[in-house]
Amino acid sequence: MQEDTLQTLVLIKPDAMKNSLTGYVLSQISEFHTGLIFAATKVVHVTDMLAEEHYAEHKGKAFYPPLIEMITGRLHFPGEPHKQRVIAIVYQGPNAVKKVRDVCGPTNPNNAREEKPGCIRSLGAVIYLKDDAGNIIGDRMDNLIHASAKPDEAEREIKIWFRPEEIPAAMRAFPTVTCEDTFYFKDGKLTKKYEKGGICVLAPGDVVWKSDLEALRAAEQGKPSETSLQAVVAKYLLNREAGE
Ligand code: IDP
Ligand code: MG
């Protein structure tokens, strides 16, 4: 990808939303400070399917379950599904991935305060998790923001959060194709024919990430593919029904 069309994914996490830090985060990453421009943005009620795809690399780690609870908003807004959301943004411009990581600072907010005072994550918190006896059994990092760490990570993440049609055509950084088939999703499976309760994810004429269509074709034929079915479908299921 050309340097000036590099893109990165930012998520304003539920802890930032809860503390009314959205505007602060946006102004730190503004075009004036970073030279980056918006390519896409939306408010998302994060499903487990999307959360698990997004944080797939951390599956099995001790902090993975609280991380999923956190990014879905259930931790900061229990019993308030209408507040369980994140703001997802694609930024574009020279050196986008590194520039945003730099203003974020270190992952751990305690380290952020030590090593890079003033960075976004220096306003975050480390929450210690305790067992019933009060012993510390782990920690959770409420660090306000997610930002892709590497360009290939950014491509994977932008494709799982955004449909091409949510990004202006002139700003799409990855290959797209026009879908000529209809695909439905029901009970974890892909179908070509409508069945009661199925959700239409793609219809003829829809613009789709090329790698997604390849993954759907592979899933149809029972072949392995680099992109899982969930990674393709998750973004088509967002914001459809009231969350629990
Ligand atoms: P990053 O967000 O800086 O890319 P990752 O290592 O990819 O950091 O971890 C993803 C998220 O998981 C972090 O932002 C943080 O919220 C959480 N996390 C990472 N490491 C730990 C840990 O050691 N304890 C608790 N939470 C962690
Ligand atoms: Mg990361």
Side-chain angles (χ1 to χ4, degrees):
M1 203 192 310
Q2 278 178 342
E3 172 75 346
D4 61 349
T5 58
L6 259 185
Q7 294 185 342
T8 193
L9 180 81
V10 163
L11 304 176
I12 300 183
K13 292 180 175 179
D15 52 328
M17 307 285 277
K18 182 152 186 170
N19 287 292
S20 287
L21 289 169
T22 309
Y24 166 75
V25 171
L26 291 175
S27 65
Q28 292 298 298
I29 311 177
S30 67
E31 188 175 359
F32 178 75
H33 289 298
T34 62
L36 304 177
I37 58 173
F38 286 107
T41 182
K42 62 180 176 183
V43 175
V44 179
H45 174 83
V46 182
T47 57
D48 281 314
M49 192 193 279
L50 181 61
E52 287 166 13
E53 279 305 322
H54 179 74
Y55 282 129
E57 65 168 314
H58 298 302
K59 197 165 184 175
K61 296 182 186 167
F63 62 83
Y64 178 78
L67 186 57
I68 298 296
E69 290 303 296
M70 197 262 198
I71 201 69
T72 55
R74 292 192 290 261
L75 248 170
H76 290 88
F77 299 103
E80 294 184 288
H82 66 292
K83 292 188 181 173
Q84 293 166 358
R85 71 252 185 266
V86 305
I87 296 176
I89 308 166
V90 178
Y91 283 100
Q92 176 170 314
N95 221 359
V97 173
K98 185 172 183 303
K99 271 191 186 146
V100 177
R101 288 291 290 196
D102 282 350
V103 288
C104 287
T107 304
N108 182 324
N110 291 343
N111 297 345
R113 277 186 283 279
E114 282 283 315
E115 295 163 22
K116 208 167 187 188
C119 70
I120 293 173
R121 284 172 159 178
S122 71
L123 296 186
V126 177
I127 313 288
Y128 293 99
L129 308 172
K130 295 179 182 169
D131 64 14
D132 292 343
N135 304 309
I136 293 175
I137 51 167
D139 58 22
R140 193 181 89 223
M141 291 172 192
D142 285 7
N143 55 12
L144 309 171
I145 183 170
H146 167 82
S148 311
K150 300 201 175 80
D152 57 342
E153 217 174 88
E155 174 170 352
R156 188 190 79 85
E157 293 175 354
I158 290 166
K159 285 178 177 173
I160 65 171
W161 283 82
F162 286 90
R163 294 180 269 124
E165 285 164 333
E166 293 170 318
I167 301 173
M171 301 186 89
R172 286 177 206 146
F174 315 111
T176 58
V177 287
T178 300
C179 183
E180 293 179 346
D181 296 310
T182 312
F183 291 99
Y184 299 94
F185 186 74
K186 193 189 168 206
D187 300 334
K189 289 207 187 77
L190 199 65
T191 60
K192 296 294 284 285
K193 256 182 81 184
Y194 179 74
E195 290 171 29
K196 199 162 187 286
I199 291 168
C200 180
V201 292
L202 282 167
D206 286 348
V207 177
V208 56
W209 298 122
K210 188 165 177 279
S211 53
D212 275 4
L213 193 58
E214 286 164 2
L216 291 182
R217 294 248 159 84
E220 228 187 327
Q221 296 163 13
K223 289 185 185 158
S225 116
E226 225 174 82
T227 312
S228 70
L229 179 59
Q230 282 72 16
V232 175
V233 166
K235 61 186 160 293
Y236 292 100
L237 307 182
L238 295 176
N239 294 345
R240 294 181 75 106
E241 284 168 31
E244 291 304 319

